[in-house]
Amino acid sequence: MKAVVVTGSNEFEVEEIELLPPKAHDIRVKMKACGLCMSDHHVISGSMPTPLPCVIGHEGAGVVAEVGSAVTRLAVGDPVVLNFSPSCGKCAMCQRGLGLYCSSFPVEKQLAGLQPDGNVRHQRADGSPVQSFFGMGCMAEETVIHEDSAVKVDPSIDLTRACVVSCGVMTGAGAAINTGGVRPGDSVAVFGCGGVGLNAIQGARIAGATKIFAVDLSEQKLELAKTLGAEYKTDKRHLFNQSIIHS
Ligand SMILES: [Zn+2]
Ligand SMILES: [Zn+2]
């Protein structure tokens, strides 16, 4: 199958590589859509140290094509959104509501492009291993991931839109709702209105923020921010003026 493989700093190409069969708790996903996140670009540029060669792509959605022998939560044909930050729901950290630090899915292995068992699921024809970014490697025709790294979604949802939930939406909305703990009546400023920032605005709005300030240098992004819930917008010049007034 074909996959986008990064082989060096600013070096990548579409390669024909092999997928290993799903293990007991794995699923094979036929990819339908994949976003290009800045983190993928960091792998390409080399600014995010990642073992190479590596299949990029971690913001994906697709359809389950095969399940491992112990998989019960998902079935062939299920539409799924991939999740590069899975949590088991059973360990001490998960029980405390800190699924991001789940001990079953250590971030070190994800950053090393490995599956939770410490192995890869991609290889070249000569048998040499190929890592998968964040354990996903979904900028490809197919990928094999742990079943907990996929969330079943309603079949009526357009997967070309759902794929961005996989990173941009959950990162931005999660920053406002979970990390920032925005509560009804709060005033919120979101600095940077790209894919993540726009979803932080939406998350703040959902959490009940009364005033949401969008801060960016791009007038185009600020206009988009207003359509997604920001009621106030400002840019660097206005902030500079404010800092003078307040000093
Ligand atoms: Zn991302
Ligand atoms: Zn856990």
Side-chain angles (χ1 to χ4, degrees):
M1 64 130 197
K2 290 183 173 60
V4 180
V5 180
V6 177
T7 54
S9 180
N10 291 311
E11 294 176 6
F12 64 95
E13 58 186 310
V14 176
E15 267 193 47
E16 192 73 34
I17 62 171
E18 298 175 351
L19 268 181
L20 296 173
K23 294 191 176 180
H25 283 284
D26 287 348
I27 58 171
R28 179 167 59 87
V29 181
K30 187 172 181 56
M31 299 310 305
K32 296 294 185 184
C34 180
L36 178 61
C37 173
M38 186 57 80
S39 299
D40 293 303
H41 190 265
H42 289 329
V43 176
I44 295 171
S45 68
S47 60
M48 188 172 189
T50 304
L52 302 177
C54 178
V55 181
I56 54 170
H58 63 285
E59 193 178 59
V63 176
V64 177
E66 185 179 357
V67 297
S69 59
V71 173
T72 56
R73 197 170 54 78
L74 296 167
V76 172
D78 283 346
V80 290
V81 164
L82 274 52
N83 175 14
F84 68 85
S85 184
S87 52
C88 71
K90 300 167 189 163
C91 72
M93 297 307 266
C94 284
Q95 290 292 308
R96 294 172 60 189
L98 298 170
L100 184 63
Y101 305 107
C102 174
S103 58
S104 299
F105 297 95
V107 70
E108 298 81 17
K109 286 183 179 160
Q110 289 174 287
L111 291 175
L114 304 171
Q115 294 300 306
D117 64 3
N119 297 310
V120 298
R121 299 292 189 272
H122 303 71
Q123 67 179 25
R124 284 179 164 147
D126 63 3
S128 59
V130 178
Q131 327 293 324
S132 54
F133 184 43
F134 277 155
M136 300 281 97
C138 56
M139 198 165 286
E141 292 179 308
E142 296 187 339
T143 191
V144 170
I145 56 175
H146 192 280
E147 61 172 321
D148 288 345
S149 296
V151 177
K152 184 178 177 181
V153 295
D154 190 299
S156 66
I157 296 175
D158 181 350
L159 294 179
T160 62
R161 292 171 178 262
C163 71
V164 295
V165 175
S166 187
C167 181
V169 174
M170 71 174 183
T171 303
I177 297 171
N178 298 322
T179 311
V182 175
R183 305 193 57 176
D186 282 348
S187 296
V188 176
V190 176
F191 289 76
C193 300
V196 172
L198 290 173
N199 284 295
I201 289 169
Q202 296 197 88
R205 188 195 65 205
I206 292 167
T210 306
K211 294 180 180 177
I212 304 175
F213 294 86
V215 185
D216 202 288
L217 297 174
S218 163
E219 191 64 33
Q220 188 181 17
K221 289 181 181 175
L222 289 171
E223 287 304 316
L224 187 55
K226 285 177 72 175
T227 69
L228 295 174
E231 295 181 45
Y232 302 85
K233 63 175 186 174
T234 187
D235 59 22
K236 192 176 182 181
R237 176 169 48 83
H238 292 130
L239 282 180
F240 182 65
N241 290 338
Q242 285 181 359
S243 68
I244 291 174
I245 292 168
H246 290 225
S247 62

